[in-house]
Amino acid sequence: AQSVSQHNHHVILSEAASLELGCNYSYGGTVNLFWYVQYPGQHLQLLLKYFSGDPLVKGIKGFEAEFIKSKFSFNLRKPSVQWSDTAEYFCAVNALGNNDMRFGAGTRLTVKP
Amino acid sequence: KAGVTQTPRYLIKTRGQQVTLSCSPISGHRSVSWYQQTPGQGLQFLFEYFSETQRNKGNFPGRFSGRQFSNSRSEMNVSTLELGDSALYLCASSPGPAGDYTFGSGTRLTVV
């Protein structure tokens, strides 16, 4: 089965700083890739997804992610974070046509005002 | 449109008991997946159902089981509860096999 690795456990940034959260996956076939966000006290929400096509994917709230197939990576970026971006971010992957979706351990982002 | 609904929201059970959790997916969604979320292990995949058939299963003991009904609603059951089963159990639904999940708010199970 596929697996997902998120490099950072906890990231602390000041407002307006740029963000990049790393995500690598392990799977030899074609995959769908996702980033989910969990704001404090709320349920998981989809930030963005990659199925095929342009490897640079834009999501909600100014987030984007780039799929680099050769590196098995799907890093999440945002040019300027806000205090309201404080949340836990999860990278997830499933094999094409399969709903056996695996999540990374999550990265907690704290943005200081 | 209504989201994914999980009931109950909170549950306290005693070791050795069994528990059934319920999930109503978004209307039209035929795939339902279950996850266990804990601070130490993160989100762990339990199983996935599509059109009443279990298609995928995670690495959990047989005490964890589930089913899906013809209206796509799903239940999961945990028998002989252990303290380590205390967790947030999340249900997610998807219209098809692409894993484009919408999550529910979860059921927080505490085993004492």
Side-chain angles (χ1 to χ4, degrees):
Chain A
Q2 60 273 23
S3 65
V4 183
S5 172
Q6 292 183 239
H7 313 303
N8 311 100
H9 182 63
H10 188 192
V11 172
I12 302 172
L13 296 172
S14 298
E15 274 195 314
S18 65
L19 169 72
E20 181 159 3
L21 301 181
C23 171
N24 285 88
Y25 67 93
S26 169
Y27 184 72
T30 303
V31 295
N32 299 319
L33 296 155
F34 307 82
W35 276 97
Y36 281 85
V37 61
Q38 191 170 32
Y39 297 103
Q42 296 188 29
H43 61 274
L44 279 160
Q45 300 171 42
L46 181 66
L47 258 185
L48 49 78
K49 60 189 177 187
Y50 172 80
F51 287 173
S52 64
D54 188 344
L56 185 61
V57 179
K58 294 194 184 299
I60 60 171
K61 304 186 181 185
F63 286 92
E64 65 178 31
E66 185 176 13
F67 171 49
I68 303 179
K69 190 174 181 180
S70 60
K71 295 185 177 180
F72 296 89
S73 71
F74 190 56
N75 292 354
L76 181 71
R77 300 194 292 247
K78 185 171 184 179
S80 175
V81 294
Q82 300 173 315
W83 176 80
S84 58
D85 292 325
T86 295
E88 189 148 18
Y89 293 81
F90 295 90
C91 181
V93 59
N94 68 350
L96 186 66
N98 189 330
N99 263 358
D100 179 4
M101 190 151 76
R102 304 300 170 118
F103 284 79
T107 297
R108 186 155 62 99
L109 172 66
T110 301
V111 180
K112 295 182 174 179
Chain B
K1 62 182 177 183
V4 177
T5 303
Q6 291 188 246
T7 57
R9 288 295 308 276
Y10 302 93
L11 209 47
I12 300 175
K13 289 286 188 178
T14 305
R15 263 185 308 175
Q17 286 186 313
Q18 76 164 22
V19 67
T20 299
L21 312 181
S22 180
C23 172
S24 293
I26 289 174
S27 177
H29 285 195
R30 296 167 63 191
S31 172
V32 173
S33 294
W34 289 88
Y35 288 84
Q36 182 195 65
Q37 187 177 23
T38 59
Q41 300 295 318
L43 278 152
Q44 293 198 287
F45 173 76
L46 279 156
F47 25 67
E48 185 247 346
Y49 288 87
F50 184 82
S51 294
E52 302 179 66
T53 301
Q54 185 183 89
R55 295 196 305 178
N56 297 287
K57 190 175 192 307
N59 192 24
F60 277 81
R63 300 185 296 108
F64 292 81
S65 62
R67 58 179 176 167
Q68 187 180 34
F69 302 96
S70 58
N71 62 358
S72 293
R73 192 177 70 84
S74 177
E75 289 180 346
M76 69 162 280
N77 186 282
V78 188
S79 62
T80 321
L81 284 165
E82 301 176 0
L83 295 179
D85 296 333
S86 294
L88 181 66
Y89 290 88
L90 294 169
C91 169
S93 75
S94 169
D100 194 350
Y101 286 161
T102 300
F103 279 84
S105 298
T107 293
R108 184 161 298 280
L109 172 65
T110 303
V111 182
V112 297

